[in-house]
Amino acid sequence: MSPRDAKIWFGLAVGLRRLKRWDESLLALDAVQRLSPFKTPVLIERISVLRAQKRLDEALKETTFWIEHEGCPDEVRLARSAIEIELQRFSEAEKDCNYLIDRGTESICAEAFSNRGLARLMLGRVADAEADFETSYLLDPRSSEARAYCASFWLRRNMPQKTLALCEATIKTDGTCAAAYYFSGLAKQALGDSKGADEYLKRATEMKYGLAIAPERLAAFQDSE
């Protein structure tokens, strides 16, 4: 009825992504782009689809192009930092987050601190990472992922009960937070609850896209100094 309504095409693209019909979603986004060239939500949605398909190199190429040639909003650079983390380009992710944090955009800062914390964690700078996660949580206490990463540091202090309590509280308010399931699983392992640990870790693996990087890499921080 309204084939030239970009908003309807965008709604279709979002629905198709949620149904995991990735290619069809991208085609709908192409239609949006033709009807209403470059809108930030459209690019962010497209990047979400490419990440879900693990087409990370394409996602990185697109975000970099728009940042360098079109003067994109900070949301695009934030998306690029997440992609760089998934590609294990942690130093590059840290630089993007530094840029965002220095700009001080209120709506972006909490996520930028969280992403920088993850990048620094994987670079072996555990104390810096902990400070970033705590700052992210203070800026946005509603952030489930920041809360889960803050809780994870209790594992390093041999206090798995505290990790489990905070992560399970997070799961009650946000059942889609893969990091909360993951760290709950590790805490249950430490407490000797193998069955419960397996259940939670399996759930985290099934929700792997919700984790910025693969669980097997994330586990390495427990043994780092």
Side-chain angles (χ1 to χ4, degrees):
M1 293 174 62
S2 302
R4 298 193 60 78
D5 190 326
K7 291 181 180 179
I8 295 175
W9 279 104
F10 184 71
L12 176 62
V14 172
L16 289 166
R17 173 175 61 80
R18 291 178 178 176
L19 289 169
K20 300 183 180 182
R21 291 162 61 178
W22 316 121
D23 292 335
E24 293 173 81
S25 179
L26 290 174
L27 288 174
L29 289 170
D30 287 342
V32 179
Q33 190 67 20
R34 287 193 298 272
L35 294 168
S36 181
F38 185 69
K39 298 288 185 182
T40 301
V42 178
L43 178 56
I44 295 298
E45 182 67 21
R46 180 174 174 81
I47 296 307
S48 295
V49 175
L50 292 175
R51 288 178 66 193
Q53 291 180 298
K54 294 303 177 185
R55 293 162 63 180
L56 299 176
D57 289 325
E58 290 179 59
L60 181 62
K61 184 177 179 179
E62 288 199 25
T63 52
T64 299
F65 173 83
W66 289 107
I67 288 169
E68 293 179 352
H69 296 91
E70 301 294 335
C72 279
D74 289 344
E75 289 89 344
V76 178
R77 191 179 294 269
L78 182 67
R80 185 171 74 172
S81 72
I83 296 165
E84 288 166 339
I85 289 170
E86 289 187 87
L87 287 169
Q88 301 177 26
R89 299 183 180 187
F90 304 120
S91 295
E92 294 171 37
E94 183 181 21
K95 289 177 182 177
D96 270 339
C97 292
N98 286 342
Y99 174 89
L100 295 168
I101 291 166
D102 288 344
R103 283 172 62 85
T105 308
E106 186 176 347
S107 61
I108 295 294
C109 263
E111 289 186 70
F113 272 108
S114 182
N115 284 0
R116 190 174 75 173
L118 191 49
R120 287 177 166 180
L121 189 62
M122 292 299 102
L123 289 168
R125 292 155 55 194
V126 177
D128 290 339
E130 184 174 10
D132 277 344
F133 288 132
E134 289 176 350
T135 302
S136 176
Y137 179 64
L138 289 171
L139 288 170
D140 183 8
R142 298 165 300 175
S143 172
S144 300
E145 195 162 276
R147 195 182 315 152
Y149 284 119
C150 284
S152 72
F153 284 95
W154 291 109
L155 283 172
R156 289 180 52 80
R157 299 169 186 150
N158 295 316
M159 297 180 184
Q161 298 93 337
K162 289 192 174 184
T163 296
L164 185 59
L166 186 51
C167 284
E168 290 203 324
T170 301
I171 290 168
K172 286 181 181 178
T173 58
D174 182 4
T176 67
C177 183
Y181 279 102
Y182 179 71
F183 290 121
S184 288
L186 294 185
K188 284 177 177 287
Q189 274 186 347
L191 292 168
D193 181 3
S194 299
K195 184 177 179 180
D198 289 345
E199 179 184 343
Y200 273 61
L201 292 173
K202 180 181 178 182
R203 184 71 183 273
T205 301
E206 290 170 349
M207 300 166 67
K208 193 171 180 178
Y209 174 56
L211 285 167
I213 55 176
E216 58 269 20
R217 280 194 59 83
L218 200 55
F221 92 94
Q222 288 180 272
D223 301 319
S224 63
E225 296 295 335

